[in-house]
Amino acid sequence: MPLDDRIARVTARIEARSREGRATYLDRMRRLAEEGPRRAHLSCGNQAHAYAAMGADKDALVGARAPNLGIVTAYNDMLSAHQPFKDYPDRIKEAARRVGATAQVAGGVPAMCDGVTQGQTGMELSLFSRDVIALATGVALSHNTFDAALYLGVCDKIVPGLVIAAATFGYIPGIFVPAGPMTSGLPNDEKSKVRQQFAAGEVGRDRLMEAEMASYHGPGTCTFYGTANSNQMLMEFMGLHLPGASFVNPGTPLRDALTDAAAQRATEITALGNDYRPVCDILDERAFVNGIVGLMATGGSTNLVIHLVAMARAAGVILDPADFADISAATPLMARVYPNGLADVNHFHAAGGLGFVIGELLDAGLLHPDTETVAGTGLALYTREPKVEDGRLAWAEGSRETLNDRIVRPAADPFQSTGGLVELSGNLGRGVMKVSAVDPARHVIEAPAAVFHDQSQVKEAFRAGRLDRDVIVVVRFQGPKANGMPELHALTPILAVLQDRGHKVALVTDGRMSGASGKVPSAIHVAPEALDGGLIGRLRDGDVLRVDATSGRLEVLTEGVAARPPAEADLSGNSWGVGRELFEVFRRTAGPADAGAGVVV
């Protein structure tokens, strides 16, 4: 199937916009690649320090012709998604030895959990942790002793930070190695109902705790389709995972076999062999377009609208929010996974999963079929399904039919004709809205504003009954320069309660509200942010706003707003406590949300 003209046009404008930066990036990568294997340029003293603790692997390392893999791990045992990585380094080392290679843990990166920090002070470090992860990976790989890298990470900021670093070291091949989702627990919709009941005072904290623990109950990624699982989808659509690796549960024979295969495949794609596949050749404009198509087709997290822009910049590719909106308009929504449906990612995987979706989108001409991947040339490799047969890993052709059309549908018969992400623009600035879970009757909300400077004020107003009406809740001074752009997901139950009472409700914020925001229309990532001169900083209670996902408008209808002096917020409390002191330089130098809110890119 020829490439859809709409996808081709977006790709062409990204290529034109990126031409100079991409050329400079590739020139740097080629020059670094021409130096040959990294270890060949180390002195004997350098090498002795690098290999001192390697025991029986020393001879292979000194010989320099055996590939040496650098492992960058986000392991900690507080995060369920990353706890399975504990044993990965030993497994990877043994798999490498079986093919005559070696592996070393190059370094670790931090991995924080937005689930733990939702509504808490620590969330103000969350977005910036992405840049810290990129920096930490840079330190790990700076020893210059690795022929390829294996990146062990899953969750929200971890994968984007690792991708930024992998692109920066783009002359080195790299494979992303996931850990998989936890098995299914209490259904996500039931957990959400209990959260709303607690917010409305209908149940106590004991019932809330019982529901939360029944939902998040074991090792692996949370099972709803938020940022973490959207990351895993992206790594397949962009060719950085082995095919079918994303949603295999931890601790299973197939999960272990895929980890072994990733290590062995990494040895095959180094510059020492005949199938050199550096990251810089994989992460081109077409790969990012494919990733955005995947995001829209599966109803993935809006956080990736920020992260993909930052990831692309590290590879010399310049994305714009309009690219996401135009690709969304061309891409059918093929999956219903919570919060866009009742199924979780395990159900989605069982119903055909990513292999089915990729095959359908290729057949519809909505993906670039000829991209480079860690598995080989061509995205059709990712329609295959991994299986363990007679103790060995093999790939078979995946299902070409949906196994449950309530969860995943063909591209020709989707849940809706577009991907469900809309760019909003107007006198309030630019933002985005995820509408795939929003009732079409709520795509246009016009109502008076209630303006707040932090989410605790919103909760107080709700408890006092001041929001029990048609209202557009504005939460400003939540951008990267103000307080690190925290996730505002803790407001979702409150806003959902107001909506369920029959009120017209929307959220407008220069902060973030993830893919778990669900059924409440939310204009997020508004730029310029309040602290950067945005008109959102001049709004007052009672100003009439219009949030219009149908026409893509975000406007204040009250006259004279631009002539007002900007509001001032006391942000002194954002500068200290729970480590925030260390991030002052990040807040001062962060870019705008529509450019990825980056510090290092």
Side-chain angles (χ1 to χ4, degrees):
M1 172 72 69
L3 187 67
D4 186 287
D5 285 344
R6 296 166 294 177
I7 301 298
R9 286 195 297 269
V10 175
T11 305
R13 78 178 184 221
I14 294 172
E15 290 174 340
R17 187 191 306 138
S18 308
R19 187 165 291 118
E20 183 176 347
R22 179 69 178 168
T24 299
Y25 169 78
L26 287 175
D27 178 64
R28 291 173 178 171
M29 295 301 107
R30 302 294 182 235
R31 281 189 283 158
L32 289 164
E34 287 171 1
E35 295 178 8
R38 307 300 92 196
R39 298 187 310 286
H41 301 282
L42 300 183
S43 72
C44 293
N46 295 149
Q47 292 190 62
H49 279 283
Y51 313 151
M54 290 301 289
D57 288 329
K58 282 185 181 181
D59 289 343
L61 283 161
V62 172
R65 295 306 302 170
N68 185 36
L69 308 180
I71 303 168
V72 179
T73 177
Y75 164 73
N76 66 52
D77 63 6
M78 187 198 73
L79 270 69
S80 61
H82 292 82
Q83 186 267 354
F85 286 138
K86 177 182 179 182
D87 300 323
Y88 275 39
D90 288 341
R91 182 165 209 103
I92 288 167
K93 290 176 185 179
E94 183 55 38
R97 289 187 191 109
R98 288 198 293 269
V99 292
T102 55
Q104 298 174 284
V105 175
V109 302
M112 68 181 292
C113 178
D114 283 8
V116 176
T117 58
Q118 286 289 357
Q120 306 298 317
T121 301
M123 177 60 79
E124 294 181 20
L125 307 186
S126 177
L127 179 60
F128 290 149
S129 75
R130 179 192 70 191
D131 296 68
V132 173
I133 289 161
L135 291 166
T137 305
V139 172
L141 296 179
S142 69
H143 294 100
N144 219 20
T145 61
F146 307 110
D147 300 286
L150 293 170
Y151 300 98
L152 279 52
V154 175
C155 284
D156 297 16
K157 263 59 64 183
I158 296 88
V159 166
L162 291 172
V163 171
I164 290 169
T168 304
F169 287 80
Y171 54 93
I172 299 174
I175 297 180
F176 281 66
V177 185
M182 68 178 71
T183 55
S184 300
L186 180 74
N188 287 291
D189 64 315
E190 292 184 28
K191 172 197 68 183
S192 180
K193 288 176 185 176
V194 175
R195 285 180 173 177
Q196 288 184 224
Q197 290 170 340
F198 178 77
E202 298 170 3
V203 300
R205 186 170 293 277
D206 57 342
R207 177 69 184 99
L208 176 66
M209 189 65 184
E210 178 187 350
E212 298 287 357
M213 294 292 283
S215 180
Y216 307 118
H217 64 90
T221 314
C222 306
T223 59
F224 69 90
Y225 197 49
T227 310
N229 287 316
S230 298
N231 283 339
Q232 304 314 296
M233 173 278 300
L234 280 174
M235 293 302 93
E236 293 215 26
F237 271 78
M238 295 173 70
L240 290 173
H241 271 179
L242 291 184
S246 291
F247 299 135
V248 176
N249 299 127
T252 61
L254 180 55
R255 177 84 278 156
D256 290 343
L258 283 164
T259 302
D260 292 349
Q264 293 173 1
R265 179 59 180 161
T267 69
E268 298 169 356
I269 61 176
T270 69
L272 294 170
N274 58 8
D275 195 17
Y276 176 50
R277 293 183 173 274
V279 168
C280 64
D281 287 350
I282 293 172
L283 290 181
D284 64 6
E285 296 92 340
R286 297 169 303 158
F288 283 102
V289 168
N290 284 352
I292 298 172
V293 170
L295 188 70
M296 301 309 161
T298 58
S301 169
T302 53
N303 279 328
L304 271 303
V305 178
I306 291 178
H307 295 323
L308 272 164
V309 173
M311 291 153 61
R313 290 172 74 91
V317 176
I318 307 301
L319 300 178
D320 184 85
D323 301 329
F324 291 80
D326 289 349
I327 289 174
S328 177
T331 305
L333 179 68
M334 298 171 58
R336 285 287 191 199
V337 187
Y338 188 86
N340 299 332
L342 298 181
D344 67 23
V345 294
N346 292 310
H347 305 140
F348 168 70
H349 185 63
L354 295 178
F356 171 77
V357 172
I358 290 172
E360 284 289 307
L361 291 169
L362 284 169
D363 288 347
L366 293 169
L367 290 171
H368 290 276
D370 53 349
T371 52
E372 298 297 335
T373 79
V374 298
T377 300
L379 199 59
L381 293 167
Y382 287 75
T383 65
R384 301 180 304 165
E385 182 179 356
K387 297 181 179 180
V388 174
E389 299 176 350
D390 298 325
R392 301 186 64 181
L393 181 66
W395 274 270
E397 187 62 32
S399 175
R400 299 314 307 269
E401 295 183 358
T402 176
L403 302 180
N404 187 332
D405 64 7
R406 293 173 297 174
I407 300 172
V408 61
R409 288 185 180 173
D413 182 28
F415 291 101
Q416 60 186 51
S417 60
T418 64
L421 189 88
V422 177
E423 182 192 20
L424 304 175
S425 62
N427 59 12
L428 275 178
R430 303 178 78 191
V432 296
M433 180 190 292
K434 181 179 179 181
V435 296
S436 50
V438 177
D439 187 323
R442 297 190 173 100
H443 283 190
V444 180
I445 301 291
E446 186 175 309
V451 183
F452 304 93
H453 289 179
D454 65 60
Q455 53 188 321
S456 66
Q457 295 175 347
V458 182
K459 295 176 182 179
E460 291 171 7
F462 172 78
R463 288 192 291 266
R466 297 197 302 272
L467 299 180
D468 205 359
R469 55 189 170 86
D470 290 355
V471 63
I472 294 180
V473 173
V474 177
V475 189
R476 63 190 177 193
F477 295 103
Q478 304 299 307
K481 290 184 180 296
N483 65 350
M485 206 177 188
E487 188 85 69
L488 302 178
H489 179 48
L491 297 180
T492 299
I494 289 173
L495 300 176
V497 167
L498 295 173
Q499 185 171 267
D500 288 348
R501 289 175 180 170
H503 301 307
K504 296 179 180 179
V505 180
L507 174 72
V508 173
T509 181
D510 49 11
R512 293 185 295 125
M513 177 75 94
S514 78
S517 55
K519 62 185 182 180
V520 178
S522 302
I524 59 176
H525 310 171
V526 174
E529 64 177 283
L531 197 64
D532 207 24
L535 195 65
I536 189 174
R538 300 174 189 266
L539 295 178
R540 295 175 184 170
D541 288 342
D543 288 342
V544 177
L545 308 185
R546 184 177 179 85
V547 178
D548 187 343
T550 302
S551 63
R553 303 300 295 169
L554 177 62
E555 297 177 314
V556 54
L557 303 182
T558 302
E559 295 183 359
V561 173
R564 297 173 186 165
E568 295 183 4
D570 181 6
L571 300 177
S572 59
N574 299 116
S575 63
W576 60 277
V578 198
R580 288 179 291 179
E581 300 91 334
L582 304 173
F583 285 81
E584 178 60 33
V585 67
F586 282 61
R587 290 188 291 272
R588 286 202 308 264
T589 58
D594 54 2
V599 174
V600 300
V601 290

